Amino acid sequence: MTKYKYLYRDNVVPEKSTSSTFLSLNMEAVPTTLYVRENQKNTTAQFQKSFRSAIEQLIESGSYSRLVNIHADMSHRMHTMRGMGPVGSLRFLPWHRAYLQKLEIELRLIDPKLYIPYWDWTMDQKIPDWLSDFMPDGVTDSRGRLIQISREPGNQDAPMLPSKFDISAVQQNKTYLDYTLALEGARPYGAHNQVHVWVGGTMSQVPVAPADPIFWMHHCFCDKLWHEWQIQNPDQQPKLAGSDGVLDPWPDTVTDVESIKSLGYGYK
């Protein structure tokens, strides 16, 4: 298995590594009650405490590590990668939308009031205060080795986070392929990849990036941006057929995740 890293103003390229088999999850259904994902800065101290506690419980049970290791398996074709053609690019947003919900299901089984809040890094250009010291122990890779979570915000590879101007340029794309390439960071805007590299440390390495809890809030904001773009461009969806449209390792398809309303959540 190939290992990848995020590159600022480029995209993922291979890096020498080996790996073993990856685990998938059999997710249980939760009540389809509509819930709203809010900006992390507007969450209460009690929510933040409960969120952190739930993540720690999922680490203890092994569920969190299993989710992290799914992201380490590049066979799921969920990023723009050399040799994948447009498939990885087209799958990037829907695959990660499904991925976010898998964690959210686990969180809400612990506490139905929980959800993944989003980190709007165009406005809050630092690690959120309530997460600055939250780099939990106990996450393991597919071989059972501990993943030591680290950060190096504002490092020399990406000294700045994307601005509102940068994202405005991304949101002006009119075709789905152009849009997803710009948001992911395969076009000159940086965006998603730039944030990964700005946080640095664990977040800058694709196989282990979800071990850092801030990963989920970063991708939640990317999902919000996509949702807003979908409203403005309702005729633009990823054109994927057959197995390319199945968001493995889950049975969810691209069509299943096109609408966040049908998934039972919204944004505030």
Side-chain angles (χ1 to χ4, degrees), residues 19-171:
S19 66
S20 58
T21 58
F22 293 90
L23 303 175
S24 61
L25 298 176
N26 292 317
M27 310 301 289
E28 297 182 42
V30 296
T32 56
T33 302
L34 182 68
Y35 59 96
V36 177
R37 293 175 177 171
E38 295 194 30
N39 191 319
Q40 60 78 29
K41 73 176 183 179
N42 296 329
T43 57
T44 66
Q46 181 57 53
F47 176 94
Q48 295 165 9
K49 181 180 178 181
S50 297
F51 183 89
R52 289 172 58 136
S53 175
I55 293 291
E56 290 170 341
Q57 290 178 59
L58 292 177
I59 293 172
E60 179 67 23
S61 71
S63 295
Y64 194 85
S65 295
R66 286 192 290 272
L67 274 172
V68 170
N69 293 327
I70 287 171
H71 194 267
D73 187 348
M74 296 299 113
S75 72
H76 300 313
R77 299 177 299 166
M78 65 292 212
H79 299 98
T80 299
M81 289 181 267
R82 292 174 183 173
M84 289 290 180
V87 173
S89 300
L90 294 172
R91 286 168 64 89
F92 170 71
L93 287 169
W95 192 94
H96 283 86
R97 177 170 284 177
Y99 191 46
L100 287 169
Q101 277 220 299
K102 304 313 175 188
L103 175 64
E104 215 156 39
I105 287 170
E106 296 277 11
L107 291 171
R108 289 168 65 80
L109 287 170
I110 293 172
D111 183 345
K113 295 179 181 178
L114 289 177
Y115 55 85
I116 301 172
Y118 61 89
W119 171 34
D120 180 352
W121 24 258
T122 68
M123 295 294 291
D124 301 303
Q125 297 215 313
K126 65 175 185 175
I127 302 293
D129 291 340
W130 65 281
L131 295 172
S132 61
D133 65 340
F134 190 45
M135 292 176 280
D137 296 325
V139 185
T140 58
D141 66 16
S142 61
R143 294 182 176 181
R145 299 173 298 193
L146 284 173
I147 298 171
Q148 185 66 47
I149 300 173
S150 64
R151 297 174 186 147
E152 189 187 353
N155 59 80
Q156 62 180 1
D157 293 325
M160 298 178 64
L161 285 165
S163 67
K164 288 184 70 68
F165 176 81
D166 296 327
I167 293 306
S168 177
V170 170
Q171 297 296 97

Side-chain angles (χ1 to χ4, degrees), residues 198-217:
W198 181 90
V199 175
T202 306
M203 271 280 281
S204 67
Q205 298 295 324
V206 179
V208 297
D212 188 337
I214 205 167
F215 168 97
W216 305 92
M217 298 180 197

